[in-house]
Amino acid sequence: MKKLKYPKHVIFKSAFPLAIMMFAVTLCNAQSTAHQFLLALSKANHTLAIVNPVTLKVLARVPVGVDPHEVIASSDGKTAYVSIYGGGSLHTLNVIDLVSKKPLFNIDTRPLFGPHGITFVKGKVWFTAEGSKA
């Protein structure tokens, strides 16, 4: 088999556009992840902090109910759900708009008490109710 040799300027001309395309794809990917947030609950201050995960700068603090326990974001990243546990005696999920960074409404989970483990699957929020053993 015959080994082909290419002049260096031909290799550079071919590789340079490829490198530019790879950089552009990386840049586009970085821009798409710029809208991701870190969500952190403060039990003491009864707030949900919306944090930039790269800089760790707190972008907003949203009030939540007494004894917030866990938080989950919807699949599209626009809404957060916070379980208000109360040692198993409370019965609320706070719904937070992550785009406007404001509370929306509360979901009353009665007759289920103590919403605890929380997840978001196929467009629905699911939780366990520790106080009701359900």
Side-chain angles (χ1 to χ4, degrees), residues 29-119:
N29 188 28
Q31 288 175 346
S32 71
T33 60
H35 298 294
Q36 293 181 351
F37 303 113
L38 174 65
L39 303 176
L41 290 172
S42 170
K43 291 183 178 189
N45 295 326
H46 308 195
T47 57
L48 170 68
I50 302 171
V51 181
N52 179 314
V54 176
T55 65
L56 298 181
K57 179 183 177 197
V58 176
L59 304 172
R61 282 187 171 80
V62 181
V64 295
V66 176
D67 197 20
H69 210 270
E70 290 151 346
V71 62
I72 191 74
S74 60
S75 302
D76 62 8
K78 294 180 180 179
T79 309
Y81 299 86
V82 178
S83 61
I84 307 302
Y85 177 62
S89 67
L90 299 179
H91 47 82
T92 306
L93 297 178
N94 294 157
V95 183
I96 310 295
D97 184 335
L98 294 175
V99 176
S100 68
K101 300 173 179 62
K102 295 182 179 175
L104 288 175
F105 54 88
N106 295 331
I107 299 171
D108 189 337
T109 65
R110 277 184 286 201
L112 301 174
F113 287 85
H116 196 268
I118 189 168
T119 191

Side-chain angles (χ1 to χ4, degrees), residues 113-127:
F113 287 85
H116 196 268
I118 189 168
T119 191
F120 195 86
V121 178
K122 296 183 181 178
K124 295 181 181 182
V125 64
W126 297 86
F127 64 94

